């Protein structure tokens, strides 16, 4: 048989999914693995989808998504990001944030191009860039910098092949939030070097302790070179609905719309009506999630820092804690597997998140308070025995 596509066969599996799969068949498991909101989708959102089906809204939409949803997004995002996006030309609705990312990369990358990625980072970035026959250039985000971007390190990574910088704030897996000062410096670097900027803002609503939100697209000269990737999945507990979006310049969005036709044609229609209801309806679920996650965040911080061999810097955003395990003498995969086998607690090895991830494990603190307390109790038993 002829060789399969090397861009596919060289792909590595996600450490997140590997740990999830390894836990299957075990009983009484506490999972700190998946970034899955521990809430059900609010009823008014589900009702909107059901009503759309009853009205017969079950046919194709335009490739970019229904205009009513893009219009609602334009208004909501302008209020949040302080940047106006034309709903007719500068917004595309996608099948989740993952497709939004892939279309963004595919629209701007040619074979051999380089994308600078701050790591540890969401592992799907690496695979998607490689699927475009482009190269990932990893710039480690260091604990001593609070896991925030060091602009001088980004600058040193720029070559004549660099096409874009990818940033993610609030961050998965490290929970860091990059402030306005650093984002403005990154913006200046992009303008100076004529680079595109992809900003993954899926966790934009999950920022704690009065840390201000700032979108780099609002900087002078950045809207025309920036793609904002976002999603309904985390904000409205809609992971299974698969509805995301991209905000960006017409010249790029128009190419993404063409690709959408070849990839999924359009996002399923009832989901798009559900997304409108999410934007226009009550925002109580977000307030409830923020309250619970903040309580869990403080609990995780307090308990981890009392455990032998472990340490943790306070996460300011998203719902992840990146725990330093270096004093255990184990690598991150050994620690994660041993903890799972002995205590039935799932964490994700930091090595799966790129350069700078080794020596850490990721905890997702979206579970109930009861499960969070129990999982931490088991972790303490485990570390006490080391």
């Amino acid at each position: 048989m002829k060789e399969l596509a090397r861009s596919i066969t060289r792909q590595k599996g996600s450490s997140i999914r590997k740990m999830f799969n390894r836990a299957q068949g075990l009983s009484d498991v506490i999972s700190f693995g998946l970034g899955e909101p521990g809430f059900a989708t609010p009823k008014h959102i589900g009702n909107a989808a059901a009503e759309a089906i009853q009205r017969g809204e079950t046919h194709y939409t335009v490739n970019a998504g229904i205009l009513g949803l893009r219009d609602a997004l334009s208004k909501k995002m302008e209020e949040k990001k302080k940047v106006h996006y034309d709903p007719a030309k500068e917004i595309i609705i996608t099948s989740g944030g993952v497709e939004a990312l892939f279309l963004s990369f595919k629209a701007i990358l040619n074979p051999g191009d380089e994308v600078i990625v701050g790591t540890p980072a969401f592992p799907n970035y690496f695979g998607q860039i490689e699927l475009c026959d482009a190269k990932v250039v990893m710039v480690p985000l260091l604990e001593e910098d609070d896991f925030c971007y060091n602009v001088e390190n980004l600058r040193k990574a720029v070559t004549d092949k660099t096409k874009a910088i990818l940033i993610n704030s609030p961050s998965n897996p490290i929970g860091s939030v990059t402030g306005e000062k650093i984002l403005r410096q990154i913006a200046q670097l992009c303008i100076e070097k004529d680079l595109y900027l992809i900003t993954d803002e899926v966790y934009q609503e999950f920022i704690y302790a009065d840390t201000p939100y700032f979108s780099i697209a609002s900087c002078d000269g950045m809207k025309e070179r920036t793609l904002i990737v976002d999603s309904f999945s985390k904000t409205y507990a809609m992971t299974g609905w698969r509805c995301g979006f991209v905000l960006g310049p017409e010249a790029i969005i128009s190419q993404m719309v063409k690709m959408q036709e070849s990839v999924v044609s359009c996002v399923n229609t009832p989901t798009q009506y559900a997304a409108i209801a999410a934007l226009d309806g009550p925002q109580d679920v977000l307030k409830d999630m923020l309250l619970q996650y903040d309580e869990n965040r403080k609990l995780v911080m307090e308990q981890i820092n009392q455990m032998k061999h472990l340490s943790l810097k306070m996460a300011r955003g998203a719902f992840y804690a990146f725990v330093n395990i270096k004093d255990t003498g184990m690598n991150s995969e050994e620690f994660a597997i041993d903890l799972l086998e002995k205590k039935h607690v799932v964490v994700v090895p930091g090595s799966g998140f790129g350069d700078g991830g080794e020596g850490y494990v990721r905890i997702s603190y979206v579970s109930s308070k009861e499960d969070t307390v129990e999982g931490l109790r088991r972790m303490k038993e485990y570390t006490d025995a080391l």
Side-chain angles (χ1 to χ4, degrees):
M1 297 292 290
K2 290 186 180 295
E3 181 186 17
L4 298 177
R6 287 188 292 275
S7 62
I8 303 298
T9 56
R10 69 189 178 206
Q11 295 279 307
K12 297 179 180 179
S14 164
S15 292
I16 302 170
R17 286 292 173 178
K18 284 180 180 178
M19 291 305 299
F20 176 81
N21 293 339
R22 186 178 281 267
Q24 301 308 299
L26 296 178
S27 61
D28 191 27
V29 171
I30 300 291
S31 179
F32 292 137
L34 296 180
E36 174 75 60
F39 288 77
T41 304
K43 288 184 178 180
H44 72 277
I45 296 175
N47 290 341
E51 290 166 6
I53 293 171
Q54 293 301 317
R55 292 196 306 271
E57 305 283 6
T58 55
H59 303 282
Y60 291 125
T61 73
V62 295
N63 300 130
I66 57 178
L67 186 57
L69 176 52
R70 286 180 281 148
D71 186 57
L73 273 171
S74 177
K75 294 173 182 175
K76 190 86 169 184
M77 294 301 107
E78 183 170 3
E79 178 183 336
K80 179 74 175 180
K81 303 178 188 299
K82 312 304 180 188
V83 185
H84 175 71
Y85 287 91
D86 183 343
K89 301 176 181 178
E90 296 179 322
I91 301 176
I92 180 174
I93 310 304
T94 62
S95 185
V98 174
E99 193 212 359
L101 282 165
F102 182 69
L103 294 184
S104 298
F105 291 132
K106 197 66 178 173
I108 66 172
L109 295 177
N110 288 308
D113 285 344
E114 295 177 352
V115 181
I116 297 173
V117 181
T119 59
F122 181 45
N124 287 31
Y125 299 153
F126 313 140
Q128 291 192 351
I129 292 168
E130 290 168 358
L131 283 173
C132 298
D133 290 315
K135 179 182 177 182
V136 178
V137 177
M138 299 187 194
V139 175
L141 307 177
L142 304 176
E143 188 171 5
E144 52 263 40
D145 294 329
D146 292 327
F147 292 116
C148 290
Y149 296 88
N150 182 307
V151 181
E152 286 310 306
N153 288 342
L154 293 177
R155 180 179 294 277
K156 291 174 184 176
V158 176
T159 72
D160 58 359
K161 294 182 179 180
T162 305
K163 179 65 75 70
I165 295 174
L166 169 66
I167 63 175
N168 173 213
S169 176
S171 166
N172 172 17
I174 47 186
S176 61
V177 177
T178 300
E180 179 178 347
K181 180 180 179 181
I182 295 176
L183 289 175
R184 288 192 179 277
Q185 292 172 350
I186 295 173
Q188 188 57 46
L189 175 62
C190 289
I191 293 169
E192 176 188 334
K193 300 294 185 179
D194 190 24
L195 304 176
Y196 290 114
L197 190 287
I198 299 174
T199 173
D200 179 351
E201 301 187 6
V202 164
Y203 297 94
Q204 63 165 328
E205 296 292 349
F206 299 97
I207 299 179
Y208 311 100
D210 298 323
T211 302
Y213 167 84
F214 180 79
S215 182
I216 195 170
S218 65
C219 296
D220 290 342
M222 284 304 291
K223 180 185 174 184
E224 55 266 39
R225 66 179 66 247
T226 299
L227 292 169
I228 299 175
V229 171
D230 209 332
S231 171
F232 290 83
S233 292
K234 314 296 185 180
T235 307
Y236 296 103
M238 293 176 66
T239 53
W241 294 78
R242 309 314 304 135
C243 192
F245 56 95
V246 183
L247 314 173
E250 179 184 0
I252 302 177
I253 296 296
S254 63
Q255 301 307 307
M256 296 170 72
V257 172
K258 289 194 315 188
M259 283 190 285
Q260 181 95 303
E261 168 64 26
S262 298
V263 178
V264 297
S265 189
C266 63
V267 175
N268 85 76
T269 305
T271 283
Q272 295 190 57
Y273 282 98
I276 294 175
L279 293 170
D280 292 345
Q283 303 297 302
D284 296 351
V285 67
L286 179 56
K287 295 176 183 177
D288 293 342
M289 284 193 290
L290 276 170
L291 180 61
Q292 179 175 308
Y293 297 163
D294 196 20
E295 290 180 356
N296 287 355
R297 177 181 73 107
K298 293 172 182 175
L299 183 62
V300 167
M301 177 70 182
E302 176 187 354
Q303 294 296 314
I304 291 292
N305 282 321
Q306 292 178 7
M307 295 181 194
K308 288 173 57 179
H309 310 297
L310 305 186
S311 64
L312 174 64
K313 283 203 169 185
M314 177 67 88
R316 293 189 294 145
F319 37 68
Y320 304 105
F322 212 54
V323 181
N324 188 322
I325 64 160
K326 295 176 183 178
D327 284 349
T328 67
M330 290 185 279
N331 67 39
S332 59
E333 186 167 333
E334 289 170 342
F335 180 94
I337 292 173
D338 201 42
L339 175 64
L340 175 62
E341 291 179 348
K342 291 179 177 176
K343 294 296 178 181
H344 291 195
V345 174
V346 180
V347 297
V348 182
S351 57
F353 298 101
D355 289 356
E358 185 53 81
Y360 298 86
V361 294
R362 190 193 77 171
I363 286 177
S364 174
Y365 49 82
V366 293
S367 300
S368 66
K369 184 175 181 179
E370 292 74 20
D371 280 354
T372 302
V373 169
E374 174 60 16
L376 292 169
R377 185 192 67 77
R378 296 183 193 182
M379 286 185 68
K380 186 176 187 304
E381 282 186 351
Y382 175 76
T383 56
D384 282 347
L386 292 178

